[in-house]
């Protein structure tokens, strides 16, 4: 009813307001139900749960997950510091940290540990079944490595406490990675059920990319671990090869040097002890280079007795602490000879770089050395050739990857390489010990070693009989080598002969003419001594 003033009464106004509110509600409802990329696919959430893609849905909400991550960071820091220490020890051995092996295996185990922890940290929030299985495989092979190192006495002594600690730590960290992956997966599931009402089974594209990347990296690490294990098995096999002669602790029992002697001590008509030929190998182990012609000289009666040894890192000898010079090797040889009860007089026979070692040994035993025989010897002025930084870097890089043993494994499986080949023969140059010895030689050749051999030249007695045999091929292609060979003939005043063997390589004994001349000159030198 209309009032006197033309206005609506209260009841009518209330009714109109109700009609207006209903219209507003219908408009709001239509707006809220407008289709978009979410509402078309997902029902509206009015149950109080968060959306699965909400950043608040995270395993980091749990203290246990955060604690595992903090511990992972701590382990990574510890492993990295240990890695740096092992890297330094390759060049300079810290006190009590020298291992009688190459030191490359413990470095490899620690590198694997750092990589394992780093991968676990980078992909911490995206646990996956593939990561867990990969970590378990790595842990299983590292556990096998640990058993091999601890079970084989030779490996245990070569790796020492440093290597044993490294492999045990690597195994423990691999198992920790498995545990942390499971903890994160549990925390992720718990938070999803608590905040979204269900376990999330789908992954975003970013998560799938992370899982794929982590899986590929872990597969590479599995291959590396398998190669490490296979190389350790080869080393354990090689450790069963018994050396001729014996191994003696030297340098305060830091490492063992292999020394062997062939023949009996004889005496001349005057009752004096006949000289023993002491052989110093060149660039490679004696057993695979000079042994044949020296033994032939012994069997032919040219010499009555000879001794030889393996320099640190060669064949059956352990590696010495770094840095290590030629003079230190000569001192170690002196100690090994004393422990073996061997006495002079000596006739020193050496080849290549071994001539540097023999000259230093001679200068420190001037009364006992009665003759010097240098076969295409390296002059001290040419030591820079083996001391170049590029050569040192290549040796270091080869040493770092040597524990993978891909070349040794290939030789064993497809080329029929034997224990003898790997210890002192054709494949000896592939061993980490040999590479470490060459790296040590490189680091000090143009400094400590050069000073020692220069001093040896001044100390050397001038009346010591001297024989020089040079390679015709080396002399023909290198004028500087020829001049230095001529200079070597003047290290004493008693040169018996200098022969340049035509068409003979650096290892002169590889040709018939070279071998004939070597045996002839050796007999003359022994008689002159």
């Amino acid at each position: 009813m209309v009032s006197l003033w033309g206005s609506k009464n209260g009841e009518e106004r209330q009714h109109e307001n109700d009609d207006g509110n209903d219209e507003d509600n219908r408009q709001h409802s239509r707006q809220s139900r407008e289709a978009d990329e979410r509402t078309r696919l997902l029902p509206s959430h009015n149950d109080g749960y968060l959306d699965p893609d909400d950043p608040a849905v995270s395993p980091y909400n749990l203290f246990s997950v955060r604690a595992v991550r903090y511990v992972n960071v701590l382990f990574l820091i510890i492993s990295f510091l240990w890695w740096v220490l092992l890297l330094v020890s390759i060049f300079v051995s810290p006190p009590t940290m020298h291992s009688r092996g190459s030191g490359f295996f413990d470095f490899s185990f620690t590198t694997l540990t750092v990589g394992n922890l780093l991968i676990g940290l980078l992909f911490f929030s995206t646990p996956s079944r593939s990561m867990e299985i990969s970590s378990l495989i790595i842990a299983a092979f590292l556990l096998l490595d640990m058993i091999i190192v601890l079970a084989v006495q030779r490996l245990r002594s070569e790796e020492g406490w440093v290597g044993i600690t490294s492999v045990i730590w690597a195994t423990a960290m691999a198992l920790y990675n498995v545990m942390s992956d499971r903890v994160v997966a549990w925390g992720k599931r718990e938070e999803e059920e608590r905040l979204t009402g269900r376990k999330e089974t789908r992954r975003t594209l970013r998560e799938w990319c992370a899982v794929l990347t982590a899986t590929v990296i872990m597969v590479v690490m599995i291959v590396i671990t398998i190669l490490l294990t296979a190389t350790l098995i080869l080393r354990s096999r090689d450790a069963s090869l018994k050396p001729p002669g014996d191994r003696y602790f030297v340098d305060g029992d830091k490492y063992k040097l292999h020394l062997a002697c062939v023949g009996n001590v004889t005496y001349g008509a005057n009752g004096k002890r006949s000289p023993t030929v002491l052989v110093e190998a060149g660039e490679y182990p004696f057993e695979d280079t000079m042994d044949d012609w020296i033994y032939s000289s012994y069997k032919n009666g040219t010499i009555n007795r000879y001794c030889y040894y393996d320099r640190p890192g060669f064949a059956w000898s352990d590696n010495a602490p770094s840095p290590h010079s030629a003079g230190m090797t000569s001192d170690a040889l002196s100690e090994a000879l004393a422990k073996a009860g061997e006495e002079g007089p000596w006739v020193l026979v050496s080849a290549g770089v071994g001539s540097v070692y023999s000259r230093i040994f001679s200068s420190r035993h001037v009364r006992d050395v009665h003759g010097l025989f240098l076969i295409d010897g390296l002059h001290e002025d040419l030591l820079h050739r083996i001391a170049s930084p590029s050569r040192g870097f290549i040796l270091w890089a080869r040493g770092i990857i040597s524990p993978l043993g891909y070349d040794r494994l290939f030789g064993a499986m497809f080329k029929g390489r034997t224990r003898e080949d790997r210890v002192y023969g054709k494949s000896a140059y592939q061993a980490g010990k040999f590479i470490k010895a060459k790296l040590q030689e490189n680091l000090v050749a143009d400094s400590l070693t050069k000073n020692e051999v220069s001093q040896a030249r001044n100390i050397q007695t001038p009346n010591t009989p001297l024989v020089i045999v040079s390679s015709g091929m080396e002399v023909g292609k290198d004028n500087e080598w020829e001049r230095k060979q001529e200079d070597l003939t003047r290290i004493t005043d008693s040169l018996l002969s200098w022969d340049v063997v035509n068409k003979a390589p650096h290892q002169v004994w590889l040709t018939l003419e070279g071998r004939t001349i070597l045996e002839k000159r050796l007999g003359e030198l022994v008689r002159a001594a």
Side-chain angles (χ1 to χ4, degrees), residues 27 53 150 303 308 325 341 458:
Q27 291 178 359
D53 295 328
L150 293 176
I303 58 177
Y308 65 93
S325 66
N458 296 326

Side-chain angles (χ1 to χ4, degrees), residues 179-223:
M179 184 273 293
S180 65
D181 194 77
R182 293 182 67 88
V183 169
V184 176
W186 166 82
K188 190 172 183 295
R189 184 176 62 253
E190 286 290 313
E191 286 301 282
E192 286 170 351
E193 292 177 352
R194 183 174 71 87
L195 297 176
T196 69
R198 63 185 177 86
K199 176 185 175 182
E200 184 60 49
T201 57
R202 64 186 179 89
R203 291 183 186 273
T204 64
L205 179 60
R206 181 178 179 181
E207 288 177 329
W208 277 118
C209 290
V211 170
L212 177 61
T213 304
T215 303
V216 170
I217 296 174
M218 292 299 286
V219 168
V220 172
M221 293 178 69
I222 289 173
V223 173

Side-chain angles (χ1 to χ4, degrees), residues 407-408 411 417-418 421-431:
D407 45 3
R408 310 187 82 195
R417 296 289 187 255
T418 62
D421 291 327
R422 291 188 295 272
V423 173
Y424 61 80
K426 300 175 183 178
S427 302
Y429 72 95
Q430 300 168 348

Side-chain angles (χ1 to χ4, degrees), residues 333-388:
L333 174 60
S334 302
E335 188 176 354
L337 290 169
K339 287 191 173 184
E342 297 292 340
E343 301 175 356
W346 306 105
V347 169
L348 304 184
V349 178
S350 57
V353 69
S355 300
V356 171
Y357 294 81
S358 284
R359 290 172 58 191
I360 295 174
F361 182 88
S362 175
S363 69
R364 298 180 181 184
H365 302 81
V366 290
R367 294 182 180 178
D368 294 328
V369 174
H370 290 191
L372 278 172
F373 192 157
L374 308 184
I375 306 170
D376 211 35
L378 179 67
H379 194 279
E380 60 267 27
D381 292 342
L382 301 180
L383 280 169
H384 64 88
R385 295 186 177 184
I386 64 173
S388 65

Side-chain angles (χ1 to χ4, degrees), residues 140-378:
F141 277 103
L142 287 174
L143 182 61
L144 179 59
D145 294 344
M146 183 180 70
I147 293 172
I148 293 173
V149 170
L150 293 176
V152 181
Q153 191 275 332
R154 182 70 177 274
L155 297 186
R156 190 169 63 248
S157 61
E158 285 184 352
E159 295 303 320
W161 74 268
V162 176
I164 293 173
T165 301
S166 298
V167 69
I168 291 176
W169 180 254
T171 306
M173 291 303 98
L175 292 173
Y176 176 79
N177 250 14
V178 176
M179 184 273 293
S180 65
D181 194 77
R182 293 182 67 88
V183 169
V184 176
W186 166 82
K188 190 172 183 295
R189 184 176 62 253
E190 286 290 313
E191 286 301 282
E192 286 170 351
E193 292 177 352
R194 183 174 71 87
L195 297 176
T196 69
R198 63 185 177 86
K199 176 185 175 182
E200 184 60 49
T201 57
R202 64 186 179 89
R203 291 183 186 273
T204 64
L205 179 60
R206 181 178 179 181
E207 288 177 329
W208 277 118
C209 290
V211 170
L212 177 61
T213 304
T215 303
V216 170
I217 296 174
M218 292 299 286
V219 168
V220 172
M221 293 178 69
I222 289 173
V223 173
I224 291 174
T225 310
I226 292 173
L227 290 175
L228 285 173
T229 304
T231 307
L232 272 179
I233 293 173
L234 269 188
R235 283 183 61 193
S236 63
R237 168 69 176 157
D238 298 344
S240 63
L241 185 63
K242 301 298 181 183
D246 209 344
R247 291 166 19 105
Y248 300 93
F249 270 114
V250 294
D251 192 14
D253 294 347
K254 289 186 178 71
Y255 63 98
K256 282 187 174 183
L257 205 67
H258 170 235
L259 172 68
C261 293
V262 178
N264 298 318
V265 176
T266 59
Y267 295 86
N270 56 4
K272 293 184 178 180
R273 183 167 174 159
S274 299
T276 298
V277 174
L278 182 59
V279 188
E280 179 80 53
E283 289 75 18
Y284 299 97
F286 165 85
E287 295 85 352
D288 191 52
T289 53
M290 303 175 69
D291 187 34
D292 285 345
W293 79 269
I294 289 289
Y295 184 73
S296 176
S297 300
Y298 167 72
K299 295 298 288 185
N300 294 339
T302 305
I303 58 177
N304 295 322
R305 189 168 188 266
Y306 70 94
C307 293
Y308 65 93
Y309 81 108
D310 296 316
R311 291 202 293 274
F314 282 34
W316 284 282
S317 290
D318 298 331
N319 283 106
S322 297
H324 190 78
S325 66
M328 296 175 185
T329 297
S330 298
D331 292 340
L333 174 60
S334 302
E335 188 176 354
L337 290 169
K339 287 191 173 184
E342 297 292 340
E343 301 175 356
W346 306 105
V347 169
L348 304 184
V349 178
S350 57
V353 69
S355 300
V356 171
Y357 294 81
S358 284
R359 290 172 58 191
I360 295 174
F361 182 88
S362 175
S363 69
R364 298 180 181 184
H365 302 81
V366 290
R367 294 182 180 178
D368 294 328
V369 174
H370 290 191
L372 278 172
F373 192 157
L374 308 184
I375 306 170
D376 211 35
L378 179 67

Side-chain angles (χ1 to χ4, degrees), residues 14-68:
Q14 180 65 34
H15 179 72
E16 289 181 358
N17 289 338
D18 290 343
D19 291 342
N21 289 339
D22 290 342
E23 183 63 25
D24 292 340
N25 290 336
R26 284 194 296 270
Q27 291 178 359
H28 179 74
S29 177
R30 283 196 302 269
Q31 292 174 359
S32 64
R33 287 198 303 269
E34 285 182 0
D36 57 22
E37 68 276 10
R38 281 186 174 277
T39 55
R40 286 178 180 178
L41 300 176
L42 299 175
S44 58
H45 290 280
N46 296 318
D47 50 7
Y49 288 115
L50 296 177
D51 189 274
D53 295 328
D54 195 305
V57 183
S58 169
Y60 290 119
N61 296 334
L62 298 177
F63 173 77
S64 56
V65 174
R66 296 198 304 273
V68 168

